[in-house]
Amino acid sequence: MLSQIVHDFLKRFYALPNLLIWDKINTGDYGDRFKPYLARLEGEYPTFTVLPYMEQDKSFTWFAIAFNENSFTQVREVIRSFVGTTYSSMDFYQVDNFNHIQDENVRIFTNGHFFKFRGNDKAIGQKVQDLFRLLRERPERGVSIPTDPAPLLRTFELALQAGEHGLAEAQIVILERHNLIDPRNALFMRIEMLSRLNCWKEILIHPQMEDLLKSPRPARVTEGIIRAVYSEYLETLESDSESMKKVFSEEIWPVYQSLFRVRGSLTHPHVLMCFMLRSVMPEEPMHELRNEILSLASGQAIEPLLRSLTNDSTSITETLEIAVFTLEEAKSLADNSRYEEAFKLAVQLPLSKEQIQLLLICAYELQDLTIDKQVVDLIFQSTTIIDWKSILTTRHLRTCFEYLYPLNDKKSNIQESNVSATLPGSWNEWFDKMEDFDLNQATMLARRGAVEWHRDGFLDNSAEMEKFKNFLKDGSKTTQDTLNLSMLYLLRFFSEDTQWPREELKDTYGELHRIFLSHMQGTSEEMKISSVWLRTLLNLGLPKDQYRSLFEDLTVTWRKYASREYFSTLVPVLSQSADIPCPDLLSRCRLVHQVQDLASKNKNFGIEEWVKVEDKLIPKDWDTYFGLLHSAQNDYQFLADWYEQIQNKDIDWTPTSALRVNDYFIDWIVEEPESIKRSILARALLPFVQFIVQYRDFPRIDDVDLYENVAEAMRIFSNKNEETLQSLIKLLDGLLLKKPGEADAQWRYMKEWLTFQPILRLLSSIFDCMELFRDYGVPGMEIKPVWDEWVGRLYDKFEKDMDSLRDYLILLGEEVSGNYDVLELLRKQVQDITQDNSDPLQKLKNMKITIFSCREKAANRAADQIMKRNSLITVNVCTSDRATDQTTAYARNSDLSVVVTACISHALTYGIKDHLSYEPIYPRSSGEAGIITRLEEYAMSLNAS
């Protein structure tokens, strides 16, 4: 039989727009098809199951649900292994990475222990039915029933910090269902929940409010009710102090006076305002309380408002004269519910049986951890033997004792003469005495301490904070197990600090967040809390080591819990990180790449949103990119995916950037990097060289060292192919223009590099290379071996479109005294070729052509050759690297401009472009053959059109 809770859930689940309707399921209209799905939800303790949800298009979304962490792990493993590839994130199936209308309903019912999937519905249905059959036939292993409240209390706190009302309420329901809390504490939890979620009106109209006001309650509950009172009665009157006093005296005090028995450790500004109003009531002023509040609020934003209630800008130094000095008078105060005053008097009296009884009663009624500790310390420090049997003479006294010493303390019992002073008064004492507690005691103390322990004297005490950080770093199992359940209370203690965040505590915040991440279970609520702390840490500005640690931890967490929910919380954080200084770019880039990788594979992740953020985070200049690659020691393979995204346009390539990158290349050349880094360099070098040679003021005399080292890096790391060779030629063209004395040395390096099997398709580039160095004065005898090797091996393999190259090879061979036999064979080939009188240059009639090139010799040879082949063409050569009156005149008066971009300043290119009559043409190289070949191609294209 289904319980009422399960019945209500199913009724909500099987309701429109679900095409499967609960009434039909419940009445059997669908036959027995649903029995296996629902059978596992019957009884007092339902077990994990799978529920089908029929969408409007009659496809199904399948919900796998469980009721605690163990069964959730079990259902994940069972479904994934048994149903197998029927559902998968591959092959167009989806798992969990999509939103659904039933998410919130299922989340509340299962306490977040569910996942959903879609796929081949027929196959999934059959597999699930088979699974249910096997589960029915398997011997029962017993039902998992929660027996420990600590994990549920952790989830409760998690839900409150994340603002998840439904999840918080679900924890209370489970605690009640399994008798893990009594009705009184369940009420306290609900009031705390309403308070933390700012549901002030709901608190004041709560049906059990009258009982709450009459009975002892935890300080966190008292604070919640006081804040509700302030919000509903006083907040709108803050500008009118007299009206606030009147409302407090006439409307609040008659109903809520029991809230103001003791302020204790409560410091919220609205609580201080209410206690200040109590202290200035003319019928019974409390000057000591008044001064205490003013002192506490000194320098805070609330101070002017507090002082406005006192009608005086200075504090009163007089204190209330204590008229009660005897134990009997202290008892009288307690009998009149004035427990704080009774306590303050009783602690000053000599130790006695009656005094201890009164202290126990006051502690129980006030329920403030600071008061509890004073009582425990006083009893522990007693030098006399305490006869507890004679003290705990009534059931109420026994209740008061057990409030202070749950389960009679782990190491003591009532029969002993004393009890151990294990009640801590701060987080450091809590850590220090952790071995004295069991896990539940430690967690409950942390829960109370988050609200009741004082921050003054702790957060502003450097010695205490240093000790606290050392405790956090303790890797012992006891500490880690306790922190797993108590970390959320630590986060609350720090985040509710009135001076949060404190600049001087950012390293402590970082350590707290690190531990929180390490204990994360991947829930969306944890992700929300983490994002708040992340933003805070980033705004504070972390040093490099802490920044790196933070993003390394985030990367590990993302790898474990990557999901749509985590994506949604992490993207705004990453976006924020792009707008502030980044002390360790590599660690952030690792995380960005991990997120990018998954986002690109999941369309429902909000790819448009991600693209905008990604654009801010990925390196967009070579200086940054090579800096990352240089500094990376491990886990940097992702950089291989990013070099193509570097934008060569609009980058300000400064001399400082060039010097930095030059240093990186020197290191890589001297100390050869590992294979992965070599591979990345090999792929990134070509686009980098393309950027250099196309930069607006290439070549720069200041950058010649960079050109030399990049050329050497290409010879070491890049593949030997046409693209590499052409890039090298362009780079060396610029280097030799600024530093011609390097020609001999660079040719030696190139000659060594060219010792590989000659390939026909590389021959034209090899010719460009030889011609370049010959123009810069390299002796023919040095070039001859390369000419002999390449031309000698390839002369008999020439293709028809290489006829013009043959002529240039002959001229160069004659100049460098190439192999005589090879030259003769080339000349014979020329003679044997059928003469074609249709020279393409003859098609260019009466043209004025200007060759813009900084390589004067090659440009002049090309000009002479062109005019020799067509006497109607006039060719001018312009070797200026900047726009001048002469260059603009050439551009304006030319019918065609040949712009050799390999070694010409882009300042010239930009300077003449507005004066060109026609679109210019760009040769593959600055050599004679490159210029003429490109002009021939241009001429033939005119003929074709």
Side-chain angles (χ1 to χ4, degrees):
M1 183 177 178
L2 299 174
S3 69
Q4 188 61 44
I5 292 175
V6 173
H7 183 276
D8 292 343
F9 160 72
L10 291 173
K11 194 171 182 179
R12 292 190 300 272
F13 187 85
Y14 289 110
L16 291 174
N18 191 341
L19 295 184
L20 300 174
I21 305 302
W22 173 245
D23 288 343
K24 292 185 177 182
I25 296 173
N26 202 27
T27 57
D29 286 3
Y30 296 130
D32 295 336
R33 284 181 296 167
F34 280 89
K35 282 186 178 181
Y37 299 103
L38 305 183
R40 299 180 59 80
L41 296 176
E42 293 179 349
E44 186 177 356
Y45 303 110
T47 55
F48 72 79
T49 189
V50 177
L51 297 177
Y53 182 103
M54 184 180 286
E55 307 289 354
Q56 292 296 303
D57 61 0
K58 296 189 178 181
S59 66
F60 284 88
T61 297
W62 303 81
F63 284 78
I65 66 174
F67 301 96
N68 55 52
E69 198 61 40
N70 288 338
S71 64
F72 183 50
T73 301
Q74 187 180 8
V75 73
R76 278 189 301 188
E77 295 305 316
V78 168
I79 294 294
R80 286 175 181 170
S81 60
F82 192 87
V83 178
T85 55
T86 303
Y87 85 94
S88 167
S89 58
M90 300 179 293
D91 299 330
F92 68 79
Y93 294 106
Q94 298 180 40
V95 185
D96 241 5
N97 297 322
F98 55 95
N99 295 322
H100 197 278
I101 192 172
Q102 281 290 332
D103 282 350
E104 185 63 19
N105 180 33
V106 179
R107 185 184 301 280
I108 294 172
F109 178 63
T110 64
N111 193 23
H113 297 115
F114 78 100
F115 67 92
K116 54 191 181 293
F117 55 95
R118 291 174 58 81
N120 185 326
D121 293 325
K122 183 177 180 180
I124 291 174
Q126 185 59 54
K127 287 283 188 179
V128 171
Q129 292 286 354
D130 292 343
L131 171 63
F132 288 151
R133 178 178 54 79
L134 291 174
L135 290 173
R136 286 195 303 271
E137 296 171 358
R138 187 181 66 179
E140 287 293 329
R141 296 183 179 180
V143 178
S144 176
I145 302 173
T147 57
D148 182 2
L152 295 166
L153 292 173
R154 177 191 181 276
T155 306
F156 176 74
E157 178 65 26
L158 181 69
L160 294 183
Q161 291 194 30
E164 296 290 342
H165 188 165
L167 183 59
E169 176 62 29
Q171 308 316 300
I172 303 175
V173 170
I174 295 171
L175 287 164
E176 288 178 312
R177 180 192 304 165
H178 299 288
N179 299 315
L180 296 177
I181 55 170
D182 57 32
R184 178 170 171 266
N185 280 304
L187 174 61
F188 293 158
M189 288 180 70
R190 285 194 167 91
I191 296 299
E192 180 184 5
M193 175 182 69
L194 294 172
S195 169
R196 300 274 294 280
L197 299 175
N198 299 328
C199 302
W200 309 122
K201 185 170 292 185
E202 288 84 347
I203 292 176
L204 298 185
I205 64 174
H206 196 282
Q208 292 179 272
M209 178 54 66
E210 187 175 346
D211 294 336
L212 272 170
L213 295 174
K214 290 179 180 178
S215 62
R217 61 197 162 265
R220 64 183 183 276
V221 177
T222 299
E223 179 184 272
I225 301 174
I226 292 175
R227 290 182 63 191
V229 168
Y230 187 89
S231 176
E232 293 299 308
Y233 287 89
L234 300 170
E235 192 164 22
T236 59
L237 303 175
E238 286 181 348
S239 60
D240 186 349
S241 58
E242 292 304 317
S243 294
M244 292 182 78
K245 292 178 184 178
K246 182 179 179 181
V247 169
F248 186 87
S249 177
E250 296 178 1
E251 299 182 40
I252 297 174
W253 180 254
V255 180
Y256 300 103
Q257 59 182 281
S258 66
L259 297 173
F260 305 102
R261 292 174 180 173
V262 57
R263 184 189 65 81
S265 56
L266 303 181
T267 58
H268 190 278
H270 292 173
V271 175
L272 295 181
M273 286 292 292
C274 286
F275 272 97
M276 177 61 82
L277 288 164
R278 165 65 188 92
S279 73
V280 298
M281 287 179 64
E283 300 84 355
E284 191 179 356
M286 301 177 70
H287 302 301
E288 185 178 358
L289 176 62
R290 174 184 184 274
N291 288 342
E292 179 186 280
I293 294 172
L294 288 175
S295 174
L296 190 66
S298 178
Q300 297 187 29
I302 193 70
E303 183 182 10
L305 197 54
L306 288 168
R307 290 196 178 277
S308 72
L309 299 175
T310 67
N311 299 318
D312 189 357
S313 61
T314 60
S315 80
I316 297 176
T317 56
E318 63 174 308
T319 59
L320 180 66
E321 182 180 353
I322 299 177
V324 181
F325 296 96
T326 66
L327 185 61
E328 287 71 22
E329 289 167 322
K331 287 181 178 179
S332 177
L333 287 170
D335 291 340
N336 288 293
S337 298
R338 296 168 65 178
Y339 294 107
E340 184 178 20
E341 295 171 72
F343 172 77
K344 287 181 179 179
L345 179 59
V347 292
Q348 302 177 50
L349 297 173
L351 191 70
S352 65
K353 167 187 169 182
E354 291 78 10
Q355 183 221 26
I356 293 175
Q357 289 176 328
L358 181 58
L359 289 174
L360 290 175
I361 292 171
C362 288
Y364 176 74
E365 293 293 336
L366 295 172
Q367 297 213 6
D368 185 279
L369 204 50
T370 56
I371 291 174
D372 296 349
K373 179 172 173 54
Q374 290 182 63
V375 175
V376 171
D377 288 349
L378 186 68
I379 293 172
F380 179 74
Q381 293 164 8
S382 170
T383 58
T384 62
I385 300 298
I386 298 176
D387 181 8
W388 285 103
K389 284 187 176 180
S390 66
I391 292 175
L392 305 181
T393 56
T394 67
R395 183 175 180 179
H396 182 59
L397 284 169
R398 179 67 180 240
T399 300
C400 296
F401 176 85
E402 290 178 350
Y403 160 74
L404 275 182
Y405 302 99
L407 305 179
N408 293 328
D409 189 332
K410 179 178 163 183
K411 296 186 176 179
S412 314
N413 62 63
I414 196 172
Q415 304 300 327
E416 296 179 352
S417 62
N418 211 333
V419 289
S420 61
T422 56
L423 198 61
S426 70
W427 287 108
N428 281 345
E429 290 183 21
W430 179 77
F431 275 111
D432 200 35
K433 298 176 179 180
M434 193 175 286
E435 294 290 340
D436 295 335
F437 312 130
D438 63 32
L439 195 57
N440 279 333
Q441 286 175 319
T443 305
M444 294 305 294
L445 285 168
R447 187 178 178 213
R448 292 187 63 186
V451 178
E452 300 174 39
W453 282 331
H454 290 295
R455 294 177 176 86
D456 294 338
F458 180 68
L459 296 182
D460 54 5
N461 186 318
S462 58
E464 286 292 307
M465 292 312 301
E466 193 62 34
K467 185 178 179 182
F468 176 76
K469 282 189 291 182
N470 290 334
F471 278 129
L472 289 178
K473 295 175 182 176
D474 179 10
S476 68
K477 187 176 187 305
T478 300
T479 299
Q480 293 305 309
D481 288 348
T482 306
L483 283 177
N484 183 34
L485 294 174
S486 303
M487 178 52 62
L488 287 163
Y489 306 122
L490 276 160
L491 298 186
R492 181 183 180 187
F493 178 83
F494 279 85
S495 63
E496 291 185 357
D497 173 22
T498 56
Q499 298 182 51
W500 158 271
R502 302 184 189 220
E503 169 75 22
E504 65 275 15
L505 296 185
K506 59 186 177 184
D507 54 342
T508 304
Y509 298 155
E511 186 64 20
L512 286 166
H513 182 258
R514 182 192 67 78
I515 297 171
F516 177 67
L517 283 182
S518 70
H519 292 297
M520 264 181 62
Q521 298 169 9
T523 68
S524 59
E525 293 77 24
E526 289 171 319
M527 295 166 187
K528 288 180 184 178
I529 295 169
S530 173
S531 70
V532 172
W533 280 73
L534 282 171
R535 291 183 177 212
T536 301
L537 288 167
L538 291 173
N539 283 332
L540 287 172
L542 298 175
K544 183 173 183 177
D545 57 340
Q546 292 180 28
Y547 191 96
R548 181 191 305 117
S549 177
L550 173 66
F551 276 88
E552 286 175 349
D553 292 340
L554 282 174
T555 302
V556 171
T557 308
W558 172 259
R559 286 170 178 166
K560 289 169 62 178
Y561 301 119
S563 64
R564 179 68 179 90
E565 289 81 3
Y566 203 1
F567 178 82
S568 297
T569 56
L570 200 55
V571 167
V573 174
L574 288 173
S575 180
Q576 175 189 348
S577 74
D579 299 328
I580 58 180
C582 177
D584 190 72
L585 186 60
L586 184 62
S587 59
R588 189 180 76 184
C589 284
R590 286 194 184 102
L591 175 60
V592 170
H593 184 264
Q594 290 286 321
V595 177
Q596 176 195 45
D597 185 55
L598 193 59
S600 63
K601 298 174 183 176
N602 293 270
K603 295 180 180 179
N604 64 308
F605 267 34
I607 195 67
E608 291 182 3
E609 173 191 5
W610 171 247
V611 167
K612 294 177 183 177
V613 176
E614 178 190 51
D615 188 61
K616 298 162 61 177
L617 295 167
I618 292 181
K620 292 297 189 296
D621 63 87
W622 289 105
D623 185 1
T624 303
Y625 181 82
F626 284 126
L628 287 172
L629 187 61
H630 183 264
S631 64
Q633 300 299 316
N634 53 66
D635 196 16
Y636 55 82
Q637 296 89 329
F638 67 92
L639 290 173
D641 298 335
W642 281 1
Y643 71 88
E644 292 179 342
Q645 299 188 48
I646 296 178
Q647 298 172 351
N648 286 347
K649 294 182 179 179
D650 303 322
I651 294 179
D652 190 14
W653 182 246
T654 65
T656 304
S657 296
L659 285 171
R660 271 197 297 266
V661 173
N662 186 48
D663 288 340
Y664 302 149
F665 277 100
I666 291 173
D667 287 346
W668 288 323
I669 292 168
V670 173
E671 298 181 10
E672 188 172 329
E674 60 183 0
S675 59
I676 296 175
K677 194 169 287 190
R678 275 184 67 104
S679 175
I680 296 173
L681 274 170
R683 297 166 66 181
L685 269 168
L686 288 176
F688 175 56
V689 171
Q690 184 181 20
F691 162 71
I692 289 178
V693 300
Q694 291 180 351
Y695 195 66
R696 58 180 174 267
D697 56 357
F698 173 81
R700 297 190 303 210
I701 186 63
D702 293 336
D703 291 355
V704 290
D705 288 343
L706 173 65
Y707 305 155
E708 287 185 57
N709 287 312
V710 171
E712 181 63 15
M714 292 188 75
R715 289 187 287 260
I716 294 173
F717 303 123
S718 297
N719 295 325
K720 295 182 177 182
N721 54 40
E722 185 173 15
E723 190 177 10
T724 300
L725 185 54
Q726 280 295 329
S727 296
L728 261 172
I729 292 169
K730 292 176 181 178
L731 185 63
L732 292 172
D733 206 343
L735 168 63
L736 298 179
L737 180 67
K738 295 298 182 181
K739 198 174 180 181
E742 275 292 307
D744 289 336
Q746 288 298 323
W747 174 249
R748 286 198 304 273
Y749 304 145
M750 286 301 298
K751 190 164 62 172
E752 293 173 6
W753 187 73
L754 291 172
T755 55
F756 56 89
Q757 180 69 34
I759 304 171
L760 187 62
R761 68 172 179 272
L762 294 185
L763 186 57
S764 61
S765 296
I766 295 293
F767 170 77
D768 291 339
C769 183
M770 292 187 291
E771 184 190 32
L772 171 67
F773 282 96
R774 182 61 180 148
D775 279 351
Y776 279 101
V778 173
M781 61 182 296
E782 293 294 331
I783 296 175
K784 170 181 167 55
V786 176
W787 191 97
D788 288 348
E789 174 70 11
W790 280 79
V791 181
R793 286 179 175 267
L794 300 174
Y795 74 91
D796 58 346
K797 299 178 176 64
F798 283 12
E799 297 172 353
K800 182 173 175 54
D801 60 356
M802 300 179 71
D803 289 347
S804 60
L805 177 61
R806 184 185 290 105
D807 294 334
Y808 296 115
L809 287 171
I810 292 172
L811 290 173
L812 181 62
E814 292 172 344
E815 192 173 345
V816 302
S817 302
N819 184 286
Y820 177 81
D821 292 335
V822 174
L823 278 170
E824 282 299 304
L825 289 168
L826 287 174
R827 294 186 185 107
K828 187 175 185 305
Q829 287 178 358
V830 172
Q831 294 172 359
D832 293 342
I833 294 173
T834 302
Q835 295 298 315
D836 185 353
N837 296 322
S838 58
D839 184 347
L841 296 188
Q842 292 292 328
K843 304 180 186 304
L844 304 176
K845 305 295 185 182
N846 300 319
M847 289 190 73
K848 290 183 179 179
I849 299 175
T850 301
I851 301 174
F852 293 92
S853 174
C854 291
R855 191 171 153 193
E856 187 173 2
K857 289 182 180 179
N860 284 328
R861 285 201 306 271
D864 291 343
Q865 187 67 235
I866 293 166
M867 290 187 289
K868 182 179 179 181
R869 290 169 59 179
N870 187 340
S871 60
L872 299 178
I873 298 176
T874 302
V875 182
N876 297 310
V877 174
C878 177
T879 59
S880 173
D881 64 350
R882 292 291 185 273
T884 63
D885 290 343
Q886 184 186 32
T887 60
T888 55
Y890 274 138
R892 188 182 303 111
N893 297 322
S894 296
D895 298 310
L896 178 66
S897 294
V898 181
V899 180
V900 182
T901 59
C903 63
I904 194 168
S905 166
H906 286 260
L908 171 64
T909 307
Y910 298 142
I912 65 174
K913 67 178 182 179
D914 292 334
H915 302 281
L916 296 172
S917 302
Y918 301 95
E919 187 71 21
I921 60 174
Y922 303 96
R924 73 167 189 270
S925 70
S926 60
E928 173 189 359
I931 294 171
I932 294 178
T933 299
R934 181 67 189 91
L935 186 60
E936 289 173 341
E937 292 170 353
Y938 171 78
M940 288 187 287
S941 69
L942 290 180
N943 186 48
S945 61

